Amino acid sequence: MKKTKFFQLIAISLVLSVLLAACSGGEDTSKDADKESANATQELKALELQAIPSMDTVMAQDTVSFTTMNNVMEGLYRLDSNQEVVGGMAEGEPEVSEDGTVYTFKLRDAKWSNGDPVTASDFVFAWQRAIDPENASPYGPYMMDGKIKGAAEISVAGAAKKEYDLNTLGVKAIDEKTLEVTLERPIPFFKSLMSFPTFYPQNQKFVEEQGDNYAKTAENLIYNGPFVLSNWDGSTASSWTYSKNAEYWDAEAVKLETVQWNVLKDAQAAANAFETGEADVTPKLTSDIVPQYEGDERLVKWLEPTIFWLKMNQKDNEALANVDIRKAIAQAVNKDDFVNSVLNNGSIVANYAVPQDFAKNDETGKDFREINGNELLPYNVEAAKESWEKGLAALGTEKVELRYLGDDTENAKTIAEYVKNQLETNLPGLTIKVESVPFSVRIDRENSQDFDIQMAGWGPDYLDPMTFSDLWLTGGGNNKMDYSNEKYDQLVNDAQTTLAQKPVERYEALAKAERILLEEDAAIAPMYQRSSNVLVGERVENFTYHLVGPEYSFKWTSVK
């Protein structure tokens, strides 16, 4: 998930270095490179660790799904190969009201893959589906409440089982090619937000014709992006294909004819496939593979603004509802050893809930992390044991058993075993039962809160600390662990409303909320900020990753 604002210069330089190298030889070299790309077979082979859980933009909630959508669909905006927000379905600059709350977009002439025009009504239909409580979209309320006018009122009414009118949502089709969006308040990162898949359009006629089958397979979808999805048989499919979309408005810019994807959960097998030419792009490499490629030009790496933490589900769990038990768990894992020995891929220890090198204050220019630093909930065995004994005494027991939910990849299993060993070793009387399941199953179990502890990660959806801070609001769509603190809620609400136009005070409020989340409540146990490492073949030009939102774009990628 990622944006215009994610200025991690090292990460961006890795992408730009490929472009600069192609251009540095002058006009003749550039022409030769164009000839090479034109003459090459524009087919790419890529590997993924997980299957695609969902292709319904209203129901998706994971990076694999969002990344696929980013390549086969398109919203008002998208991120380009230079990490800048550029027009997608929106043509030209929107008209903006004097108070910054009403945007009027003109849509370009674009078609769905079935030939239907993309219209303003397609956006209205999709956004109303996303906010409709009956659909229980995991991202709709999260992305719209407090941002799009009327969204929060619809969500509240739905939760209270009261009537609501979807037409009160602040999105209107003025005519076929004119879309009006009304905000609750000015949003500095609004264009970046509009590049996120939750805000993509949907063709009402097609969706309703498909009924319950909509988005279940590639045949039950239509597309308005650079590619169309083919050979995808649903959420358990281990392979799928991007095929160039002849109906795409900017088809001339798309060089690749196909991107063939296969799921391969074993990292060493993926590296082997890369070396034998069976893959041009690998999934993110595990710690045991990365050292083999240090110094290799084919290794592309960057520090993501993505944090992984242990979520501790307080629902119907007396032990995890106890703050001392949570503090004990949060401080019982040696994170330095974890990132250096288990991950060993450039990831760094995170004792925070909002990543470093991510969001800078508009007024001071300082990174958000400078306020609270990196020591909010550090590894401390003595403190962990003290909290553990206090928590056990309050519970009136000497033993606690907890279920750890994780993915079924080899890397995830290794991480789970390390966490299990650390917790059981440092907290006497604790037993951890590891449950490794397919990615889509883990997502379902998280939604239903069928877990005690799980290693979960979050990548930002837009460039602002709020994309992390509002995760933990009481009853929030991504909370999924029954955490609730009135003081935390108030501070985040203030940052969204009364302090929205006061950058310094706003950041201070969010920093205070972070201290409550971690130091006071130990609601989550931050573990690490991820570094990504992938292998990209020498014949691949302009491999494009993003730091916010969907991870990859293949619109500008080619084979030389």
Side-chain angles (χ1 to χ4, degrees):
M1 316 166 186
K2 302 71 204 176
K3 71 273 303 76
T4 285
K5 5 200 161 153
F6 18 75
F7 282 73
Q8 290 206 356
L9 297 181
I10 294 177
I12 293 176
S13 67
L14 288 171
V15 176
L16 294 183
S17 64
V18 178
L19 298 176
L20 293 175
C23 297
S24 61
E27 183 180 356
D28 290 341
T29 301
S30 177
K31 288 181 178 179
D32 289 342
D34 286 343
K35 285 182 179 180
E36 283 189 17
S37 289
N39 294 332
T41 301
Q42 294 298 312
E43 297 176 352
L44 206 64
K45 294 171 289 186
L47 299 175
E48 179 57 85
L49 288 174
Q50 308 287 358
I52 305 170
S54 175
M55 279 302 295
D56 184 346
T57 58
V58 167
M59 301 308 297
Q61 58 181 317
D62 68 281
T63 302
V64 179
S65 298
F66 289 143
T67 296
T68 307
M69 292 169 183
N70 178 56
N71 285 282
V72 301
M73 300 175 188
E74 188 166 89
L76 293 170
Y77 295 97
R78 66 164 51 248
L79 301 182
D80 69 7
S81 58
N82 294 321
Q83 311 291 333
E84 298 288 341
V85 173
V86 295
M89 294 295 100
E91 186 170 41
E93 288 296 313
E95 292 182 12
V96 185
S97 64
E98 189 173 338
D99 65 357
T101 63
V102 181
Y103 283 70
T104 304
F105 298 94
K106 288 296 182 180
L107 304 185
R108 66 177 74 251
D109 288 330
K111 294 181 179 180
W112 293 98
S113 54
N114 67 350
D116 287 353
V118 178
T119 69
S121 295
D122 294 335
F123 284 90
V124 175
F125 173 70
W127 293 19
Q128 288 183 350
R129 277 194 74 219
I131 199 62
D132 191 344
E134 287 190 10
N135 293 325
S137 168
Y139 252 71
Y142 166 68
M143 295 298 279
M144 294 186 189
D145 287 2
K147 301 179 183 73
I148 309 301
K149 191 171 182 62
E153 288 79 2
I154 292 172
S155 296
V156 169
K161 306 299 182 183
K162 295 182 179 179
E163 292 185 1
Y164 53 86
D165 182 0
L166 293 176
N167 291 315
T168 61
L169 184 67
V171 56
K172 294 181 180 179
I174 304 302
D175 57 43
E176 188 174 87
K177 293 295 181 180
T178 307
L179 181 71
E180 181 185 270
V181 179
T182 303
L183 309 179
E184 289 284 2
R185 62 186 178 281
I187 300 177
F189 51 86
F190 180 62
K191 284 187 178 180
S192 172
L193 187 69
M194 290 297 98
S195 70
F196 198 80
T198 302
F199 295 101
Y200 287 2
Q202 291 185 346
N203 183 301
Q204 181 173 1
K205 179 181 177 182
F206 183 86
V207 172
E208 292 178 347
E209 284 178 348
Q210 298 299 310
D212 291 341
N213 289 324
Y214 176 68
K216 291 296 177 64
T217 72
E219 301 302 317
N220 306 119
L221 284 161
I222 54 175
Y223 313 92
N224 71 322
F227 302 92
V228 299
L229 188 62
S230 57
N231 304 318
W232 181 64
D233 296 328
S235 60
T236 60
S238 60
S239 64
W240 56 89
T241 305
Y242 298 168
S243 299
K244 184 174 178 177
N245 182 6
E247 297 288 351
Y248 181 53
W249 69 271
D250 198 20
E252 289 187 5
V254 182
K255 301 295 190 295
L256 290 173
E257 291 295 332
T258 62
V259 182
Q260 174 60 50
W261 290 87
N262 286 284
V263 174
L264 191 56
K265 297 182 179 182
D266 183 274
Q268 186 60 62
N272 293 342
F274 178 81
E275 291 294 355
T276 59
E278 297 176 58
D280 299 299
V281 181
T282 68
K284 291 174 182 176
L285 304 179
T286 54
S287 58
D288 55 327
I289 307 297
V290 173
Q292 302 174 25
Y293 290 93
E294 288 295 348
D296 192 319
E297 293 183 355
R298 300 172 300 171
L299 179 66
V300 179
K301 65 191 308 178
W302 64 95
L303 180 66
E304 296 183 49
T306 296
I307 300 182
F308 280 77
W309 40 55
L310 296 178
K311 291 184 71 170
M312 293 177 277
N313 184 14
Q314 299 180 39
K315 182 180 180 181
D316 302 325
N317 191 311
E318 185 180 13
L320 293 179
N322 183 287
V323 65
D324 290 304
I325 295 295
R326 297 196 304 273
K327 285 184 177 180
I329 291 172
Q331 295 191 279
V333 179
N334 187 331
K335 289 181 256 190
D336 282 300
D337 182 58
F338 177 72
V339 299
N340 293 323
S341 300
V342 178
L343 298 180
N344 190 27
N345 61 3
S347 296
I348 61 176
V349 169
N351 295 312
Y352 44 75
V354 177
Q356 70 174 46
D357 301 327
F358 165 55
K360 293 187 177 182
N361 191 293
D362 291 338
E363 188 167 314
T364 66
K366 292 185 178 181
D367 188 90
F368 179 83
R369 275 270 49 82
E370 294 186 38
I371 303 176
N372 284 338
N374 185 23
E375 295 298 325
L376 293 184
L377 202 59
Y379 169 62
N380 187 323
V381 174
E382 290 186 6
K385 289 183 176 180
E386 182 178 336
S387 294
W388 182 247
E389 293 301 326
K390 186 177 178 181
L392 290 180
L395 295 172
T397 184
E398 296 181 353
K399 296 181 180 181
V400 171
E401 181 174 317
L402 298 172
R403 298 173 300 149
Y404 175 105
L405 178 64
D407 292 326
D408 62 352
T409 64
E410 291 305 312
N411 189 47
K413 290 177 182 178
T414 299
I415 291 172
E417 286 305 315
Y418 182 86
V419 173
K420 170 183 169 69
N421 177 268
Q422 285 281 291
L423 293 178
E424 291 182 343
T425 299
N426 294 327
L427 304 177
L430 176 60
T431 299
I432 299 293
K433 180 184 177 182
V434 174
E435 299 174 346
S436 300
V437 300
F439 183 54
S440 60
V441 175
R442 182 175 69 78
I443 293 296
D444 288 341
R445 287 185 55 176
E446 178 177 14
N447 287 336
S448 62
Q449 293 187 230
D450 182 13
F451 70 94
D452 294 330
I453 298 176
Q454 72 160 316
M455 181 72 76
W458 189 261
D461 300 322
Y462 47 87
L463 187 67
D464 191 87
M466 188 60 71
T467 189
F468 289 90
S469 301
D470 66 4
L471 292 173
W472 317 115
L473 292 172
T474 300
N478 288 285
N479 190 314
K480 304 299 183 186
M481 58 182 191
D482 276 25
Y483 171 67
S484 178
N485 184 302
E486 290 185 5
K487 292 188 296 181
Y488 183 91
D489 292 348
Q490 185 60 55
L491 286 164
V492 174
N493 181 68
D494 289 345
Q496 292 176 322
T497 55
T498 58
L499 301 179
Q501 302 302 310
K502 300 176 180 179
V504 175
E505 293 91 335
R506 181 173 181 270
Y507 266 40
E508 288 291 346
L510 293 177
K512 185 175 181 180
E514 184 184 47
R515 293 193 293 273
I516 291 173
L517 179 77
L518 300 183
E519 289 185 329
E520 292 186 20
D521 293 343
I524 56 174
M527 293 291 291
Y528 66 99
Q529 184 172 339
R530 183 172 67 184
S531 174
S532 287
N533 300 262
V534 299
L535 294 173
V536 179
E538 295 176 331
R539 74 191 195 105
V540 180
E541 290 194 313
N542 204 16
F543 170 71
T544 300
Y545 62 83
H546 302 298
L547 302 179
V548 175
E551 285 192 314
Y552 306 120
S553 289
F554 288 90
K555 173 177 177 176
W556 301 278
T557 303
S558 63
V559 173
K560 63 181 179 181

